[in-house]
Amino acid sequence: MRTNFDFTPYRRSTVGFDRLFDLLEATARTETDDGYPPFDIERESEDSYRITLAVAGFSPDDIEIVAQNNQLTVSGRKPDDRDEGRFVHRGIATRAFERRFQLADFVQVQGASFDNGLLRIALKREVPEAMKPRRIEIAGTAANDRNTGDTAVRIEEHQAERSAA
């Protein structure tokens, strides 16, 4: 039985979504998630998010957070523990881990904190002004301006007002 979804029909009928389909296919190929460490993704506001990972047994020095190319990687490694013979039962997992989170465009890591075995990573979407939608004024003349003969003067006045603002 085939477990991967074929995006070919969608690729043929869309323009500019190649990156999205590549991401979905890559996620399907690398889906070997063992669920460790467990995590939550929380939306704090329209543009703010928080990822919380349960990393009991780790200290902040054992954890590395790297943000690069729209991907956030959180990895943890405990130093070699020489006290293996001391434990009768070891139920707190301290094995090495690596969690990857794909970030949307313009999502930036704001900071990270560690408290009571929980690693919290704050994220915020910051869209540059140049990328935000803007209203475009339509240049032209109104119907009653065409009859007066001073259309060019009105357009120049309008442009002067806009540049002064």
Side-chain angles (χ1 to χ4, degrees):
M1 184 172 130
R2 186 174 176 180
T3 57
N4 289 345
F5 189 80
D6 185 15
F7 292 103
T8 305
Y10 299 105
R11 285 183 185 268
R12 282 182 278 190
S13 61
T14 59
V15 176
F17 291 95
D18 296 334
R19 184 171 172 265
L20 173 66
F21 293 130
D22 292 343
L23 173 64
L24 291 171
E25 289 171 348
T27 302
R29 279 193 305 272
T30 60
E31 196 61 41
T32 58
D33 186 14
D34 66 351
Y36 180 76
F39 66 93
D40 292 336
I41 300 176
E42 181 180 353
R43 179 182 227 159
E44 294 182 317
S45 70
E46 187 173 330
D47 292 327
S48 297
Y49 302 88
R50 180 171 53 191
I51 299 173
T52 304
L53 289 100
V55 289
F58 287 87
S59 72
D61 295 335
D62 301 331
I63 299 171
E64 181 180 45
I65 303 170
V66 177
Q68 180 181 12
N69 295 336
N70 290 17
Q71 183 168 311
L72 175 67
T73 304
V74 181
S75 56
R77 297 215 184 305
K78 290 287 287 181
D80 288 338
D81 194 4
R82 302 288 180 208
D83 297 329
E84 289 295 325
R86 200 173 73 163
F87 291 95
V88 176
H89 171 73
R90 193 148 209 187
I92 299 174
T94 57
R95 66 183 184 267
F97 69 88
E98 182 175 274
R99 275 274 184 202
R100 294 178 185 267
F101 300 93
Q102 196 68 35
L103 303 178
D105 291 338
F106 312 117
V107 172
Q108 301 293 321
V109 176
Q110 297 294 302
S113 64
F114 188 89
D115 186 37
N116 295 325
L118 295 175
L119 174 66
R120 291 182 177 91
I121 303 169
L123 306 169
K124 185 167 180 127
R125 181 180 341 182
E126 295 179 347
V127 179
E129 284 297 320
M131 300 297 290
K132 289 183 179 177
R134 58 188 168 91
R135 187 166 186 256
I136 309 298
E137 294 291 328
I138 301 172
T141 58
N144 59 357
D145 289 344
R146 286 189 205 123
N147 297 334
T148 61
D150 58 347
T151 304
V153 173
R154 289 183 188 267
I155 291 174
E156 289 175 12
E157 290 173 356
H158 178 71
Q159 289 174 346
E161 290 173 3
R162 289 199 59 215
S163 63

